[in-house]
Amino acid sequence: MADKGRARKVAERTKVLMAQGLDTLVKDPRLGFVTITDVRVTGDLQHATVFYTVMGQEADREAAAEVLEAYRGRLRTHVGKGLGIRLTPTLEFVLDALPEDAAHITDLLRETAKRDAELAAARKENNYAGEADPYRKPRVADDESEQDSQ
């Protein structure tokens, strides 16, 4: 079993090699704008999960998934030659939901800002139920007030 540091290094190198392989090996026009976002390698270096995003609509995502599956063997060969380790990890492609999650978070932040603005507007219209300053103030002695006036 490899240590975590080696698995991390293999994952980073696999990410770079995958990006190069997509650029040089895959000549299918259906691939579109694919970005390798992350690669995770198991501790024994036998399996690599490649996370990717695709710019475009759902049809573009499906086409990119088909192309990646079709070129899996060639990409694995390219990664194996570049890594130079005894066993080449198997590749699994997973569509990363990062852009959708980011859009959802942006929508939530926009809704929160809208509600905050509504609360601020309502807060300006409200008045105190009693006096503006409800705390008691200490009484000033008569001789202190006379000394202050002199």
Side-chain angles (χ1 to χ4, degrees):
M1 181 147 178
D3 61 323
K4 292 180 183 180
R6 183 165 187 219
R8 182 177 35 82
K9 288 177 185 177
V10 168
E12 288 298 318
R13 183 71 181 143
T14 303
K15 181 178 176 180
V16 171
L17 291 169
M18 283 296 303
Q20 290 174 351
L22 289 178
D23 190 37
T24 59
L25 295 175
V26 180
K27 300 296 183 190
D28 197 325
R30 298 179 299 156
L31 190 61
F33 295 108
V34 174
T35 303
I36 304 298
T37 56
D38 193 19
V39 175
R40 294 187 186 149
V41 178
T42 58
D44 59 359
L45 307 178
Q46 296 296 309
H47 184 74
T49 305
V50 179
F51 294 92
Y52 67 96
T53 60
V54 179
M55 295 293 288
Q57 304 300 325
E58 187 62 32
D60 297 330
R61 292 183 187 106
E62 291 172 4
E66 290 173 7
V67 170
L68 288 173
E69 288 300 318
Y71 282 86
R72 178 192 306 245
R74 290 183 189 167
L75 290 170
R76 183 175 181 216
T77 301
H78 177 72
V79 168
K81 288 179 182 177
L83 285 177
I85 57 177
R86 186 170 66 99
L87 297 172
T88 303
T90 59
L91 301 176
E92 176 187 3
F93 296 103
V94 176
L95 182 64
D96 198 355
L98 185 68
E100 291 83 14
D101 291 345
H104 179 68
I105 289 172
T106 302
D107 292 341
L108 290 175
L109 289 173
R110 189 176 298 120
E111 179 67 27
T112 303
K114 179 183 166 189
R115 288 183 184 175
D116 284 347
E118 290 172 0
L119 283 174
R123 196 175 298 132
K124 286 182 181 179
E125 296 173 3
N126 292 341
N127 295 324
Y128 292 105
E131 298 176 14
D133 188 12
Y135 300 105
R136 291 184 183 178
K137 302 215 177 353
R139 293 186 184 180
V140 179
D142 292 333
D143 29 326
E144 287 180 14
S145 61
E146 290 174 8
Q147 290 175 0
D148 289 338
S149 62
Q150 293 178 4

